[in-house]
Amino acid sequence: MRLLGVAIFLAALAVPFVFGGNLYVMGLLVSSLILAGVALAWALLGNLGGMISFGHAAFFGVGAYTSALLAAKLGMPVLLSIPLGGLGAALCSLVMMPTLRLSGPYFALAILAYAQIFRILVTEMSGITGGSAGLSSIPALPTVFGIDLSSRSGSYIVLTLLVGACAAVYAAIRRSHVGTALRAMDESEDATRVVGVNSVLLKAWMLILSAFITGLFGAMNAHIINFLEPDYAFSGTWSVLPIVAGIFGGYRTILGPIVGAVLIYLFDQVIAKSLISVGHQILLGSLLAAIVLIAPNGLLPLLGRLRGDRHAQALRGGRHAQA
Amino acid sequence: MLETRNLRSGYGRINVLWDVSLSFPQGQLTTIVGQNGAGKTTLLRALMGLLPHEGEIRLDGQRLSGKTWNLTERGLVMVPEGRLVFRDMTVEENLVLGAYPKRCRADSRTNMERIYGLFPRLKERRGQLAGSLSGGEAQMLAMGRGMMSSPKILLIDEPSLGLAPVIVQEVFGIIRQLKADGTTIVLVEQNTHMALGVADHVHLMRSGQVIMSRPASEVDLDELHDLYLAREA
Amino acid sequence: DEFVIGAHMPLTGSLARSGQAFTEGMQVAVKIFNEKSPKHKIRVEVIDDESTPAKAVTAVEKLVSNGATAIIGGYGSNIVGPASGASDKLGKVYITAGAVSDELTARGLKTFFRINNNAGYQRGVETLLQELKPQSVSIVTSTKEAPLLLAKGLEESLPKSGIKVTVHQFDPAITDFKPIINKVKLQDRSDILFMSAYENDYVGIIRAAKVLKPNVKAIVGTWSLATPKMYSDFPDLMQNVLGTSFLPFPVEVKDEEGRRFADVYKETYGKEIEYLSTLSFVKAMVLCEAIARAADAGTVKSGGLADEMRKTDRASLLGRIKFDETGDNPNFTLSMGQHQNGKIVLVSPKANATGAITYPGLPW
Amino acid sequence: MLKLENVTVRFGGLVALKDVSFRMGPGEILGLVGPNGAGKTTLFNAISGLVRPRGGRILFEEQDIGRLPLHQRARRGLGRTFQIPQPMHQLTVRENLVVAQVFGAGRADAARLDEILEVMDLKSQADRDAASGLALQELKRLEVAKALATNPKLLLLDEVLAGLESQAKRHFMLKLKELQARFKIGIVIVEHDIETISNLCSRAVVLNFGQVIADGTPSEVFRNPAVVESYTGTAHA
Amino acid sequence: MFDLILQALSSGVLIGSVYALIALGLALTFGAMRIINLAHGELVLLAAYMAYVVEARTGLNPYAAIPLALVATCVVGTAIYFLVDRIREHRELNSLILTFAVGIILTNAILLFFASDVRSTSSPVLQDAVSVGNVFAMNSEIIAFAVSLILMAILWWWLKRSWYGRAVRSVSSNRSASMLMGIDPTRTEFIAFLVASILASFAGVALYTMSVVQPAVGHALTVKAFIVTVLAGVGSIPGVFCAALLLGITEALTVTLASSALQELAGMVLFLLVLFFMPNGLFGAHARRG
Ligand SMILES: Nc1ncnc2c1ncn2[C@@H]1O[C@H](COP(=O)(O)OP(=O)(O)OP(=O)(O)O)[C@@H](O)[C@H]1O
Ligand SMILES: Nc1ncnc2c1ncn2[C@@H]1O[C@H](COP(=O)(O)OP(=O)(O)OP(=O)(O)O)[C@@H](O)[C@H]1O
Ligand SMILES: [Mg+2]
Ligand SMILES: [Mg+2]
């Protein structure tokens, strides 16, 4: 699995040398990588933190606005403002700490409520944020070492590195004891706490980390399309598509959400759109339904199982209904 | 009469029961004993259709379809081990659900009063959520709920588990009474002393097989324990 | 020779309604153009931008890589902004009729053109209000970008003509307008209820007004309100309501082009032309003609299209079209129409009026 | 090492524990008995932090732990099992113990972990898919193993022996005694089998309706008429 | 001022009762199966479009569309159920994706069939005002309110008192234990789904008569319904009613006393506050024990 990950990463880095000239293809890939980053962050929270969120748009939007405002209004260098965007999202996850007491759909919806609240706040604070008219002319990514990062290929490389780095962090956490404890908390929180795990703290860290990563990609996106408005930055899409991508690819794996995001996005935009121009999402819906029925653990575990991969089987060790 | 022929069953890839052939005569009490992990609970679950099986299960000569809910409708009822109660429903609602099969709905009021009489503690706790009962109270609830449908055949899994000694005495009194009323009973119990006191037949299981079947009158407690111990042999 | 025009339209998502009307007007324009132009043929390739900016940008890139000569933009400044930016980077002319924000023309793009703008809408409404001379106006506006822009503009300009203005913003998610209208009724007591919003909001607002019956003299709205479709869908809500319009209904177009448009449109889609399809028709026509001129001059490949666009100066269903330095069309003005028993009568400005205004006039 | 002073717990109108006080010394094995619903599990919950008492103090090694969160109590050396086993479902048996060890005891110690697996007879199960596939008795042993892995000074065992076949029960009891002797762990054990309590414990505390009704050596306690009437039914020697 | 507040309260109650009606079906499937039917809003929308079809084609009153709407929602509801029933692992999470997918399919199918025009009833009778003192409402709102109350009472009775209702609740509480009671969980869940579909059809028709529909609003309806369900606490019918009214009133009062732009915000803040102070919702009881 790990080797596969590294191989995919290296292959991904080579893509611009093949398709670099085709703006359309690179544009699609850039968008799908943004989605992949958010999906990864979502899955991190869902898998490690055991918290399914319906509102990652909150972090995406806050990250985007923070970075865009810092760069556009205060003239901060974009490469600095982007991590600060992530930090902004992480900060705003702090006000969500009360949600950690909630579980299941209660948590999911509470985060969704936050996303709505942030959207409305950003719309209302038009003095700073430009309100519903949004911000245009957001500074683009700079040129570094002679590479124009604002070009499609440049952005692509940055995003690939970023996704790779986040996946590596995720993998490191999952392998650690903290990762095991987090996995344990799923469905057995009291049992985990009585053996000395400070579950609230660990979950809080996962929420912060997930928010940070999501904010990072939100910020990247803002500087890539150079435009923001509340409805777009806090759009439900940023909450829903990562879930879809994560579950499609297999949200308990690290590679799953990434691969899922890229595949889903490309399928929807390239294949479905060329088949049906209006309502092409019908195909996306059918694909999703099919994958859930055929591969309830997502695409990657399915592939793993087909290859008799032991790792995937361990993942599959679901709970049998105890009669 | 309930009987099994070459019954095999288990969990997913793991097979637990190996060719179990047993019969449980009408109106009598059969007890199944055996060390932990022998497959007693698994046998009851398979009988109730909660687990997929190979081989045959027959009720009055008729092969059973394996749909748990149909069995219950026909009078085959199980009191499960491990407090399988409806945790987010009240004690009373749990009991009412025990009378779900159509044939016994009409009697549910009287049955409930009878059970409250047998377990006054349940009556005290009637409005409490079953999930917050103490371990023993939940066990009483499971037992009472099983009796709500006036079963013809009752499968009981470790009824004394977690009960205070006084209550254990009472529960066995109840079991004796049920038997006297003509209920066919299959009893799985670790407390062999108590179990032998009420049983007509004894089956000993080990590693998913029945290794001894005898009328209870011919079983000697010490000998039984020796057979238990034969695990290393 | 054949040219491809790329178009990104919101065919799905929140703006799907507008996207469809736009697409229809555009298709009719191309059809008519191809009929009368023997030399140059034009083909449109439409991509659904799903009402989102990022997909619009991708769409532009795809269209250009598929060989589009120019781009027709979709709806909403939020989407047109980034999409036209992308188009500019690729050096392609971009024209829109669905983005009114002032920021768009402030960017100094050489390839960006639009035929309508907020100023035009504002002027249209102001003219009507100055003619009606109400004491006070209540503005009910969606917090969406374009409606809010118009509302803000009016909030500033109307008091200059001595009209008292109260603004009520609402979130687009709202469905029950009774509490707002009740404020208009009990607190504002205005003469005119002005709505800056979209179709679904109009229905909700007028319905609430019909229930609460505030003591106003007229209900005025903006785009997509004074259309035959609105009347046929909601006959008892629309009577006497005023909205921006270009053409009266039944269509009495004096010029050849307008008549032809109405005919082909009816033939193709089986319905009367509408506000949005008219806008779209005009912008597509202007673009087609510019392409033809550039093709004649042989400058299409060398970037001459933008210059040809800038040379455009023609009358149209929307009045005179002539782009300024920023690509805006400062001549854009419109009329105000009133629903009168299934007809739409142009009532303002006086010069264009096709009938008398019913004032005070309400749906109830 | 453990001292309860007037611990009171209520659930709505129900008084589950009323002014419960007792103390136990280090290395002691204390039997906690009483009729069903007497409040034994609730007392464990109060000590380990799952329910918050309405009144009273809980002292562990001379310090009031009544306000500490669950996990800190565990880290101070309070281990407990659940009457209804609560394994960490997603993890293998070994991972269950690793988590308990790393977070409860503060360090990973593979040798000790193997020892615990051995003692608790879980070796063959250790690396199976997930703990959720275990049978009830295996789950109970896992409960004890988890608690042991946190290096506890005091172990609260809630009916871990119930449902064991008599031979296995004897075997388990020996192990508990051995553990207690070897690691100097204090044990409080809830159990309904009088014989077991008599064999295992040096002292027994009897609860009824949330109150301590007897406290003494098992033989004393089980002769107490109040206990006989409410709990054992018949007199035991 | 007094009149304003009175009107806001009444508007809030009326709109709240429709929220309740929309949420009921969702609450039922959620309570009965722990399955969040993300296509519920689309189901409601489908019923609304059926009402449109009947009204536009035949000129009949939209309420005449209820039989057609029932058929449509039940057919789709059945299809959803059988798809969900085929999920073998991680049912809760996977059903989320599955129903979401069905929602996408429905939205786009509606878009293809009915285009994206705004639809609502054109019947003047339904839009006429009724007034009590200075408080006004539309006829259709009053009817929807009454229907909502009646359906809620029936549903409450059904869940509390009928054997089917008990079965529904027991299956959600513990599937295998309910089988031991003689309950066929699959059939029970199916019935729950059907009832939810029936509720959706009434909700859809009511929505069509008093508000506007567009293909894209299905998702928003689901979210609203879901929020009401969670506010209520799992499985509580009176909870759904109270939560929906609370939400409706809060929104209406915000518009009246503060700005209408803050309506959505107020609803969300209310939602969070309730959750933080009552983590299981207004009426949710939940047993947790060691
Ligand atoms: N849910 C399960 N998944 C996998 N294996 C199981 C499961 N439940 C039980 N087993 C296995 O099946 C075997 C028999 O278990 P069973 O519970 O039937 O034993 P038992 O005779 O009832 O024991 P006890 O006296 O402890 O109740 C055991 O080896 C156990 O490991
Ligand atoms: N969360 C709760 N809400 C209401 N009552 C509760 C709650 N938890 C426990 N109780 C009640 O408190 C009493 C004490 O329960 P507890 O579990 O402590 O008993 P126990 O002594 O452990 O009994 P057993 O031997 O049966 O396990 C019981 O009557 C139980 O019903
Ligand atoms: Mg068993
Ligand atoms: Mg207990």
Side-chain angles (χ1 to χ4, degrees):
Chain A
M1 217 58 180
R2 211 160 135 204
L3 274 180
L4 181 64
V6 174
I8 290 185
F9 178 69
L10 292 179
L13 279 181
V15 164
F17 298 102
V18 185
F19 290 105
N22 189 332
L23 278 186
Y24 166 61
V25 171
M26 291 313 290
L28 280 178
L29 287 175
V30 163
S31 296
S32 68
L33 279 182
I34 301 263
L35 189 62
V38 183
L40 188 69
W42 176 85
L44 181 138
L45 188 66
N47 184 19
L48 290 186
M51 295 176 280
I52 300 297
S53 147
F54 284 179
H56 261 51
F59 308 127
F60 191 86
V62 171
Y65 265 97
T66 311
S67 179
L69 288 174
L70 287 177
K73 304 249 153 130
L74 299 186
M76 191 177 275
V78 170
L79 287 187
L80 185 61
S81 76
I82 288 178
L84 287 180
L87 218 56
L91 272 180
C92 92
S93 76
L94 291 183
V95 301
M96 299 183 185
M97 286 306 153
T99 57
L100 290 179
R101 294 201 305 149
L102 307 171
S103 61
Y106 297 94
F107 173 81
L109 271 200
I111 297 285
L112 175 71
Y114 272 106
Q116 299 281 38
I117 290 175
F118 287 140
R119 175 182 66 78
I120 298 170
L121 287 182
V122 167
T123 313
E124 291 296 303
M125 297 193 304
S126 49
I128 310 170
T129 60
S132 58
L135 294 170
S136 42
S137 320
I138 296 170
L141 292 169
T143 300
V144 178
F145 304 128
I147 306 173
D148 178 10
L149 299 184
S150 72
S151 72
R152 286 280 176 269
S153 298
S155 313
Y156 174 87
I157 297 280
V158 177
L159 282 169
T160 310
L161 292 176
L162 214 52
V163 170
C166 293
V169 170
Y170 182 175
I173 295 177
R174 197 174 71 161
R175 260 201 317 277
S176 72
H177 290 310
V178 170
T180 319
L182 282 164
R183 204 144 44 91
M185 257 143 50
D186 209 12
E187 294 206 357
S188 334
E189 189 157 343
D190 279 346
T192 320
R193 291 167 72 199
V194 299
V195 296
V197 178
N198 186 351
S199 59
V200 179
L201 185 72
L202 292 191
K203 282 168 116 179
W205 277 117
M206 288 308 112
L207 183 62
I208 292 174
L209 181 62
S210 180
F212 177 78
I213 296 179
T214 311
L216 219 51
F217 283 92
M220 281 297 292
N221 190 54
H223 294 288
I224 287 172
I225 76 164
N226 312 113
F227 171 81
L228 269 188
E229 51 137 347
D231 282 355
Y232 170 65
F234 293 93
S235 157
T237 317
W238 301 117
S239 300
V240 168
L241 272 189
I243 306 181
V244 167
I247 296 182
F248 179 85
Y251 87 107
R252 291 199 179 277
T253 62
I254 295 178
L255 226 42
I258 302 175
V259 174
V262 174
L263 286 186
I264 288 239
Y265 193 80
L266 294 185
F267 171 82
D268 184 44
Q269 292 300 308
V270 180
I271 300 176
K273 240 180 185 169
S274 68
L275 292 179
I276 308 177
S277 63
V278 182
H280 58 88
Q281 287 191 330
I282 277 195
L283 294 180
L284 179 67
S286 313
L287 177 75
L288 284 178
I291 197 85
V292 166
L293 294 175
I294 297 166
N297 288 295
L299 198 61
L300 280 202
L302 175 76
L303 295 179
R305 207 164 54 196
L306 292 183
R307 286 190 307 133
D309 191 317
R310 274 199 46 218
H311 181 68
Q313 283 192 1
L315 289 168
R316 204 166 48 97
R319 286 136 272 143
H320 305 278
Q322 295 254 341
Chain B
M1 183 157 93
L2 181 67
E3 46 193 334
T4 69
R5 207 164 298 155
N6 298 331
L7 185 68
R8 284 184 181 217
S9 186
Y11 306 87
R13 287 164 291 164
I14 308 158
N15 199 39
V16 174
L17 299 181
W18 301 93
D19 298 316
V20 173
S21 301
L22 281 177
S23 61
F24 306 100
Q26 190 91 48
Q28 304 206 340
L29 194 151
T30 309
T31 184
I32 298 172
V33 295
Q35 66 194 43
N36 298 115
K40 306 181 293 294
T41 300
T42 308
L43 173 63
L44 296 194
R45 284 186 195 162
L47 283 174
M48 283 309 293
L50 289 174
L51 296 173
H53 68 261
E54 286 168 37
E56 287 178 18
I57 303 175
R58 285 173 184 275
L59 180 58
D60 299 328
Q62 221 180 332
R63 229 181 129 159
L64 290 181
S65 71
K67 295 257 195 296
T68 309
W69 46 94
N70 292 339
L71 302 184
T72 309
E73 195 65 56
R74 292 178 61 175
L76 186 63
V77 169
M78 172 165 156
V79 175
E81 155 211 66
R83 309 176 182 80
L84 212 60
V85 293
F86 300 109
R87 296 175 57 85
D88 40 18
M89 298 172 87
T90 64
V91 168
E92 184 142 320
E93 286 170 329
N94 265 273
L95 288 178
V96 172
L97 274 168
Y100 188 82
K102 290 203 183 63
R103 61 187 162 74
C104 53
R105 287 183 189 175
D107 304 334
S108 67
R109 276 279 128 212
T110 43
N111 267 340
M112 184 152 11
E113 285 315 315
R114 187 167 61 99
I115 286 156
Y116 279 152
L118 294 173
F119 299 108
R121 179 48 74 92
L122 291 184
K123 189 164 189 173
E124 279 170 39
R125 296 272 180 269
R126 64 204 293 173
Q128 188 173 323
L129 293 187
S132 67
L133 290 177
S134 86
E137 289 163 348
Q139 189 71 29
M140 295 177 218
L141 178 59
M143 185 77 192
R145 192 184 58 184
M147 289 159 59
M148 279 296 287
S149 59
S150 321
K152 297 200 189 85
I153 305 177
L154 188 59
L155 314 180
I156 316 177
D157 200 356
E158 311 225 11
S160 73
L161 190 77
L163 290 184
V166 247
I167 311 286
V168 173
Q169 300 287 350
E170 280 175 31
V171 165
F172 274 89
I174 293 168
I175 291 175
R176 207 170 269 127
Q177 183 61 45
L178 285 172
K179 186 178 130 187
D181 295 344
T183 315
T184 307
I185 297 177
V186 180
L187 175 67
V188 168
E189 180 57 68
Q190 280 307 351
N191 190 336
T192 32
H193 175 72
M194 296 297 287
L196 284 182
V198 293
D200 300 307
H201 302 273
V202 179
H203 300 289
L204 176 63
M205 282 186 77
R206 193 201 298 152
S207 316
Q209 284 170 308
V210 177
I211 55 164
M212 185 209 82
S213 300
R214 274 187 213 168
S217 53
E218 293 172 23
V219 176
D220 165 44
L221 204 59
D222 292 333
E223 186 200 5
L224 196 64
H225 281 163
D226 287 345
L227 278 169
Y228 260 85
L229 273 180
R231 81 167 120 182
E232 279 85 26
Chain C
D1 45 351
E2 190 190 65
F3 295 95
V4 180
I5 298 180
H8 68 89
M9 293 289 163
L11 298 176
T12 53
S14 55
L15 303 172
R17 167 86 197 88
S18 322
Q20 266 174 5
F22 262 25
T23 310
E24 289 166 1
M26 173 179 77
Q27 298 284 15
V28 171
V30 170
K31 196 168 172 185
I32 293 177
F33 174 84
N34 282 341
E35 275 171 16
K36 58 179 196 190
S37 154
K39 259 201 298 182
H40 311 295
K41 295 292 173 208
I42 290 203
R43 185 164 61 80
V44 215
E45 186 180 341
V46 188
I47 294 187
D48 179 11
D49 65 28
E50 299 171 46
S51 317
T52 56
K55 292 196 174 128
V57 170
T58 320
V60 168
E61 283 163 355
K62 175 160 195 207
L63 291 167
V64 172
S65 76
N66 284 2
T69 312
I71 304 290
I72 293 185
Y75 201 80
S77 305
N78 312 330
I79 295 168
V80 165
S84 56
S87 179
D88 186 62
K89 273 190 204 152
L90 297 165
K92 298 295 174 196
V93 164
Y94 185 104
I95 184 167
T96 177
V100 295
S101 162
D102 297 333
E103 272 185 55
L104 294 176
T105 44
R107 293 175 301 177
L109 299 188
K110 289 278 163 270
T111 56
F112 179 75
F113 299 91
R114 71 172 175 198
I115 57 171
N116 58 344
N117 45 41
N118 186 55
Y121 287 103
Q122 194 174 324
R123 224 175 301 131
V125 176
E126 277 166 17
T127 311
L128 173 76
L129 292 181
Q130 275 151 9
E131 284 169 8
L132 295 179
K133 300 198 178 47
Q135 303 225 308
S136 53
V137 174
S138 287
I139 298 181
V140 177
T141 172
S142 162
T143 53
K144 289 250 185 209
E145 188 237 343
L148 195 58
L149 191 63
L150 178 60
K152 289 259 160 78
L154 289 172
E155 187 180 14
E156 239 172 64
S157 73
L158 290 180
K160 289 179 196 148
S161 335
I163 302 174
K164 192 172 144 257
V165 178
T166 325
V167 177
H168 302 275
Q169 295 186 17
F170 66 86
D171 191 277
I174 185 174
T175 52
D176 182 7
F177 288 90
K178 281 201 290 301
I180 299 183
I181 299 303
N182 211 28
K183 277 169 119 173
V184 173
K185 174 182 173 184
L186 297 175
Q187 289 185 333
D188 306 358
R189 299 163 193 275
S190 303
D191 292 336
I192 287 190
L193 174 61
F194 177 74
M195 311 178 285
S196 184
Y198 297 108
E199 284 138 308
N200 46 340
D201 307 320
Y202 296 143
V203 174
I205 296 172
I206 299 178
R207 224 176 233 174
K210 217 181 149 204
V211 169
L212 290 167
K213 303 204 171 55
N215 200 13
V216 295
K217 297 204 180 81
I219 296 182
V220 185
T222 41
W223 37 75
S224 311
L225 177 59
T227 67
K229 184 159 174 35
M230 275 306 243
Y231 194 89
S232 68
D233 284 350
F234 305 103
D236 51 317
L237 290 182
M238 289 304 149
Q239 178 69 348
N240 293 332
V241 169
L242 293 139
T244 54
S245 185
F246 308 109
L247 304 171
F249 176 80
V251 187
E252 306 168 13
V253 245
K254 314 256 162 25
D255 64 337
E256 174 58 25
E257 185 182 51
R259 224 166 300 140
R260 184 82 193 113
F261 172 44
D263 291 348
V264 177
Y265 190 84
K266 179 128 198 190
E267 195 177 293
T268 319
Y269 298 106
K271 54 188 178 186
E272 301 301 333
I273 49 179
E274 277 202 36
Y275 168 78
L276 282 175
S277 34
T278 314
L279 279 173
S280 183
F281 172 81
V282 171
K283 76 175 170 192
M285 202 49 120
V286 166
L287 180 63
C288 289
E289 287 170 1
I291 291 178
R293 289 200 302 275
D296 288 339
T299 57
V300 174
K301 291 257 150 53
S302 56
L305 185 53
D307 298 334
E308 286 301 335
M309 285 293 285
R310 223 159 247 118
K311 282 185 206 147
T312 302
D313 186 359
R314 84 199 281 282
S316 80
L317 293 167
L318 309 178
R320 184 175 171 206
I321 306 274
K322 182 166 173 36
F323 298 108
D324 66 8
E325 264 314 291
T326 63
D328 215 345
N329 172 26
N331 302 309
F332 172 71
T333 39
L334 33 63
S335 317
M336 300 297 288
Q338 185 173 38
H339 283 287
Q340 292 181 358
N341 301 316
K343 298 196 174 105
I344 291 165
V345 179
L346 298 188
V347 295
S348 159
K350 288 270 161 51
N352 296 358
T354 59
I357 186 169
T358 313
Y359 184 83
L362 294 163
W364 56 86
Chain D
M1 78 183 319
L2 177 72
K3 188 169 160 208
L4 304 184
E5 291 174 1
N6 301 319
V7 174
T8 301
V9 171
R10 287 167 195 273
F11 298 109
L14 182 85
V15 185
L17 289 178
K18 189 160 181 245
D19 291 332
V20 173
S21 306
F22 67 80
R23 56 169 43 224
M24 69 178 285
E28 199 176 355
I29 302 188
L30 179 75
L32 185 61
V33 293
N36 297 116
K40 306 178 292 293
T41 301
T42 307
L43 186 62
F44 277 11
N45 285 346
I47 297 173
S48 61
L50 276 167
V51 303
R52 177 144 293 182
R54 284 296 169 84
R57 296 207 305 162
I58 301 171
L59 297 159
F60 181 58
E61 294 184 317
E62 318 302 329
Q63 279 174 323
D64 190 348
I65 56 167
R67 298 248 168 283
L68 292 183
L70 282 180
H71 60 96
Q72 285 187 13
R73 299 189 201 202
R75 288 179 194 172
R76 289 194 179 200
L78 263 176
R80 75 161 287 174
T81 68
F82 287 98
Q83 189 171 359
I84 301 169
Q86 296 196 11
M88 304 183 229
H89 296 277
Q90 314 271 325
L91 309 184
T92 64
V93 168
R94 189 186 298 278
E95 285 172 329
N96 262 281
L97 300 192
V98 168
V99 169
Q101 204 174 43
V102 168
F103 288 87
R107 68 196 155 80
D109 180 346
R112 187 173 147 85
L113 209 143
D114 278 330
E115 196 184 6
I116 294 172
L117 283 172
E118 182 79 59
V119 172
M120 285 296 120
D121 236 345
L122 287 166
K123 263 232 145 99
S124 57
Q125 251 70 13
D127 297 305
R128 240 168 68 166
D129 271 6
S132 47
L134 299 180
L136 185 61
Q137 291 309 326
E138 293 164 333
L139 285 174
K140 286 195 169 180
R141 291 205 298 274
L142 175 58
E143 280 291 308
V144 182
K146 258 191 319 178
L148 281 176
T150 61
N151 261 357
K153 295 178 191 137
L154 177 65
L155 204 50
L156 309 175
L157 301 178
D158 200 349
E159 301 203 12
V160 289
L161 299 173
L164 280 183
E165 149 243 324
S166 51
Q167 190 59 34
K169 201 179 256 186
R170 231 165 291 152
H171 186 64
F172 208 137
M173 270 158 55
L174 284 178
K175 275 182 187 162
L176 285 181
K177 281 193 171 153
E178 183 194 318
L179 281 173
Q180 183 263 339
R182 186 138 59 107
F183 300 111
K184 290 274 167 285
I185 304 175
I187 296 178
V188 184
I189 183 165
V190 171
E191 176 57 46
H192 284 300
D193 184 24
I194 293 158
E195 215 176 309
T196 310
I197 294 288
S198 307
N199 284 340
L200 191 65
C201 308
S202 49
R203 221 179 101 207
V205 170
V206 187
L207 284 180
N208 193 16
F209 292 111
Q211 282 174 297
V212 177
I213 58 166
D215 185 346
T217 64
S219 54
E220 278 168 23
V221 162
F222 290 128
R223 268 196 304 260
N224 184 325
V227 177
V228 171
E229 197 219 345
S230 64
Y231 183 59
T232 54
T234 49
H236 282 251
Chain E
M1 199 62 209
F2 182 68
D3 275 350
L4 273 179
I5 291 179
L6 219 55
Q7 177 67 45
L9 287 178
S10 80
S11 290
V13 167
L14 292 178
I15 193 90
S17 72
V18 176
Y19 289 167
L21 196 51
I22 296 172
L24 272 185
L26 189 87
L28 183 66
T29 38
F30 182 45
M33 301 168 71
R34 296 297 141 101
I35 278 177
I36 299 163
N37 180 7
L38 288 182
H40 185 73
E42 278 79 6
L43 224 50
V44 171
L45 194 62
L46 184 68
Y49 271 93
M50 291 302 119
Y52 161 71
V53 168
V54 168
E55 188 183 38
R57 292 280 154 80
T58 67
L60 289 174
N61 187 304
Y63 295 119
I66 286 178
L68 181 65
L70 275 176
V71 172
T73 54
C74 285
V75 166
V76 176
T78 306
I80 298 177
Y81 174 74
F82 281 106
L83 286 178
V84 168
D85 191 49
R86 290 196 47 192
I87 300 177
R88 286 286 159 260
E89 283 171 72
H90 310 301
R91 216 164 80 123
E92 286 180 24
L93 199 58
N94 277 329
S95 64
L96 214 62
I97 295 299
L98 190 63
T99 53
F100 175 72
V102 173
I104 295 185
I105 295 175
L106 279 178
T107 301
N108 285 284
I110 291 176
L111 179 72
L112 286 177
F113 273 103
F114 298 102
S116 43
D117 294 328
V118 176
R119 301 289 180 206
S120 183
T121 185
S122 54
S123 151
V125 187
L126 291 179
Q127 298 175 55
D128 275 353
V130 277
S131 62
V132 180
N134 276 334
V135 174
F136 296 83
M138 279 194 296
N139 278 332
S140 58
E141 289 176 311
I142 303 291
I143 295 173
F145 179 70
V147 169
S148 170
L149 275 188
I150 294 169
L151 286 180
M152 221 156 343
I154 295 177
L155 189 68
W156 181 80
W157 179 87
W158 187 72
L159 279 181
K160 252 318 201 239
R161 293 274 173 266
S162 81
W163 285 99
Y164 267 130
R166 288 181 183 131
V168 165
R169 295 198 302 139
S170 73
V171 170
S172 81
S173 175
N174 190 325
R175 209 178 155 86
S176 26
S178 71
M179 298 206 288
L180 287 175
M181 300 301 104
I183 294 163
D184 177 348
T186 311
R187 209 176 95 164
T188 307
E189 288 178 342
F190 176 53
I191 289 172
F193 235 96
L194 269 190
V195 173
S197 307
I198 292 172
L199 290 168
S201 71
F202 281 94
V205 175
L207 189 72
Y208 176 74
T209 58
M210 55 184 284
S211 183
V212 293
V213 294
Q214 259 180 315
V217 304
H219 188 65
L221 291 178
T222 309
V223 171
K224 197 72 140 199
F226 195 15
I227 282 181
V228 169
T229 305
V230 168
L231 259 184
V234 179
S236 164
I237 301 302
V240 167
F241 185 62
C242 295
L245 289 202
L246 191 63
L247 194 63
I249 291 174
T250 310
E251 290 182 353
L253 281 181
T254 315
V255 173
T256 304
L257 301 178
S259 155
S260 9
L262 298 179
Q263 162 180 323
E264 200 61 5
L265 186 76
M268 292 300 162
V269 170
L270 168 80
F271 175 70
L272 285 180
L273 286 181
V274 170
L275 276 194
F276 290 161
F277 291 105
M278 304 176 196
N280 294 311
L282 288 172
F283 285 66
H286 202 70
R288 278 183 83 205
R289 237 174 87 83

